[in-house]
Amino acid sequence: MPRALITGISGQDGSYLSELLLDKGYEVHGVVRRSAIENPHHELWRLPRESLDQITLHVGDLESYPSLQSCVRKSQPDEIYHLAACSFVSYSMEEEFSTLNVNLTGTHHLLSAIKQWAPESRFYFAGSSEMFGNAIQSPQNEQTPFNPRSVYGISKLAGFHLVRNFRERHGLKTSTGILFNHESPRRGFQFVTRKITSYAARIKLGLADSLELGNLDAERDWGHSRDYVKAMWMMLQESEPDDYVVATGVSRTVRMFCEKAFARVGLDYREFVKTNDSLFRVAETTPLLGDATKAKENLGWEAESCFDEMVVEMVDSDLAALSK
Ligand code: NAP
Ligand code: GDD
């Protein structure tokens, strides 16, 4: 039975990935912060009970090398999926030091622990389309020069170089997925998609009367988290480690997302959505749009979920949760 260790298992992607790996017969280990063990109902809400019962949790924090070293040593993984990060781009501007510490130094801690305790394992690093930032071309692929515009993007780009350096210098089997935005009913509420679907549901139920957003014309290439965790797994099944862009190849505006989400509850978003200048990003990226040809050709990966169905799934899930 293959053994996998997932950092960030309590997050959106960690929850879908753990379900995928359990379905494939893996022994799944997860790194969580102490607060999750102390308050599982609140902190581990994304992990279904039946998954949680089969997962071995280890207490670890990216900011602590000894804790990560202990997680790797105790779990002896064949595959490591490093998903934990400060992942909200706007916070990364206010929390520069902790973002760099968690996303870059934390990745360094983990790589060093792997070099010592699991040098034969395969390692996945959660890179991001934010590494492209103010890209000079669209769509972006593995050859597109990186030009990050946020501290988050800088931390992920530095992490990407470190991961590649451990591959070249120490022979570790490390791969990076450069993933474009992916969403689901398990998305955090601060991200724009979940903010929109939860407010569409609240407004429908009379629990709120308006929604404030920033730039409605910002464009993103939105896929479904369930599809994207499959790409992570596929990367680690390859004989040689490599880096891949994972995206749908279709970009949409925040406005289009609002239109679909509010239409699902029979409302016209124009009557409820207001813009607030303070929610605009000072340094917005070039419209992020990914070209996942390499992932398609080498891994046989393609996005399966349809955008409209994903929006409906998210709105319906929020409606159901709020109606309880
Ligand atoms: P998420 O829902 O925000 O999950 C982040 C995870 O990181 C949580 O489990 C969180 O644990 C954990 N974490 C944060 N700081 C930590 C620390 N100091 N020590 C240990 N764990 C820590 O993110 P996601 O959407 O699943 O994304 C997974 C990864 O992919 C992230 O690295 C993200 O940057 C990257 N990514 C995401 C997307 C996307 O569109 N979703 C696109 C490209 C790349 P707590 O529950 O304790 O906070
Ligand atoms: N969060 C948020 N809130 N975003 C808004 C709002 C708002 O009220 N109004 C407009 N937006 C715009 C942002 O300016 C951005 O252009 C877009 O919506 C998407 O924002 P987020 O959902 O916060 O995601 P992100 O693209 O910044 O970052 C996500 O995707 C990255 C991959 O490109 C995160 O998951 C990152 O962790 C990930 O790496």
Side-chain angles (χ1 to χ4, degrees), residues 61-75:
D61 193 306
L62 287 179
E63 299 193 63
S64 152
Y65 173 73
S67 74
L68 291 181
Q69 186 211 231
S70 158
C71 294
V72 174
R73 191 167 42 79
K74 287 187 185 151
S75 59

Side-chain angles (χ1 to χ4, degrees), residues 7-14 31-33 35-36 43 46 60-63 82-87 102 126-129 152 156 179-183 186-188 190-191 232:
T7 73
I9 197 165
S10 59
Q12 172 188 252
D13 292 359
V31 179
V32 292
R33 290 191 266 195
S35 56
E43 306 268 340
R46 294 183 174 95
D61 193 306
L62 287 179
E63 299 193 63
H82 177 33
L83 311 182
C86 293
S87 70
V102 170
S128 163
S129 50
Y152 169 82
K156 286 288 182 179
L179 270 53
F180 283 64
N181 299 47
H182 44 280
E183 319 296 314
R186 298 181 191 171
R187 189 57 146 149
Q190 67 273 44
F191 299 96
M232 298 175 188

Side-chain angles (χ1 to χ4, degrees), residues 294-308:
K294 180 175 169 185
K296 185 177 178 188
E297 289 177 353
N298 294 15
L299 309 175
W301 180 87
E302 261 187 296
E304 288 165 29
S305 305
C306 137
F307 175 78
D308 289 7

Side-chain angles (χ1 to χ4, degrees), residues 22-283:
L22 287 170
D23 277 354
K24 290 187 180 295
Y26 277 68
E27 182 182 314
V28 176
H29 295 249
V31 179
V32 292
R33 290 191 266 195
R34 188 165 300 284
S35 56
I37 303 278
E38 284 161 3
N39 193 0
H41 185 67
H42 186 247
E43 306 268 340
L44 300 175
W45 62 271
R46 294 183 174 95
L47 290 165
R49 183 80 249 171
E50 57 277 19
S51 301
L52 206 44
D53 289 344
Q54 300 174 65
I55 296 169
T56 308
L57 294 177
H58 302 264
V59 172
D61 193 306
L62 287 179
E63 299 193 63
S64 152
Y65 173 73
S67 74
L68 291 181
Q69 186 211 231
S70 158
C71 294
V72 174
R73 191 167 42 79
K74 287 187 185 151
S75 59
Q76 281 299 303
D78 303 299
E79 295 173 13
I80 297 162
Y81 296 88
H82 177 33
L83 311 182
C86 293
S87 70
F88 188 41
V89 173
S90 294
Y91 290 162
S92 77
M93 305 299 200
E94 295 148 25
E95 312 268 354
E96 294 176 9
F97 289 93
S98 59
T99 298
L100 287 168
N101 206 26
V102 170
N103 293 4
L104 177 57
T105 307
T107 300
H108 191 197
H109 287 155
L110 187 58
L111 287 166
S112 299
I114 292 165
K115 181 166 141 278
Q116 186 176 3
W117 295 104
E120 293 306 318
S121 63
R122 293 167 181 218
F123 175 86
Y124 172 86
F125 174 62
S128 163
S129 50
E130 273 287 315
M131 287 155 45
F132 292 120
N134 200 15
I136 55 166
Q137 69 185 62
S138 192
Q140 296 92 35
N141 62 25
E142 295 79 4
Q143 267 71 54
T144 306
F146 297 116
N147 193 8
R149 300 204 85 191
S150 59
V151 173
Y152 169 82
I154 292 166
S155 73
K156 286 288 182 179
L157 180 55
F160 165 77
H161 286 303
L162 194 65
V163 165
R164 209 163 49 174
N165 184 260
F166 268 66
R167 178 161 84 208
E168 292 165 0
R169 198 156 54 103
H170 301 299
L172 296 192
K173 301 182 187 80
T174 61
S175 298
T176 294
I178 306 172
L179 270 53
F180 283 64
N181 299 47
H182 44 280
E183 319 296 314
S184 75
R186 298 181 191 171
R187 189 57 146 149
F189 286 95
Q190 67 273 44
F191 299 96
V192 76
T193 56
R194 187 77 196 278
K195 188 172 170 186
I196 296 168
T197 61
S198 63
Y199 268 85
R202 279 167 180 273
I203 291 169
K204 179 67 183 173
L205 296 172
L207 301 171
D209 49 25
S210 65
L211 164 62
E212 287 196 351
L213 292 174
N215 185 3
L216 298 184
D217 297 316
E219 290 179 41
R220 286 293 183 273
D221 176 336
W222 280 299
H224 198 301
S225 172
R226 207 183 289 117
D227 290 347
Y228 285 41
V229 301
K230 267 188 216 158
M232 298 175 188
W233 176 77
M234 286 169 149
M235 279 178 221
L236 296 203
Q237 308 318 303
E238 289 295 287
S239 53
E240 292 302 320
D242 205 347
D243 309 318
Y244 295 92
V245 160
V246 175
T248 70
V250 181
S251 105
R252 295 180 171 84
T253 60
V254 171
R255 188 186 303 283
M256 288 161 82
F257 198 103
C258 289
E259 201 179 328
K260 297 268 178 226
F262 278 77
R264 176 65 181 168
V265 292
L267 301 175
D268 182 341
Y269 82 96
R270 289 172 296 188
E271 292 174 27
F272 303 97
V273 174
K274 301 176 171 44
T275 54
N276 178 333
D277 288 348
S278 71
L279 296 171
F280 277 64
R281 298 217 174 138
V282 179

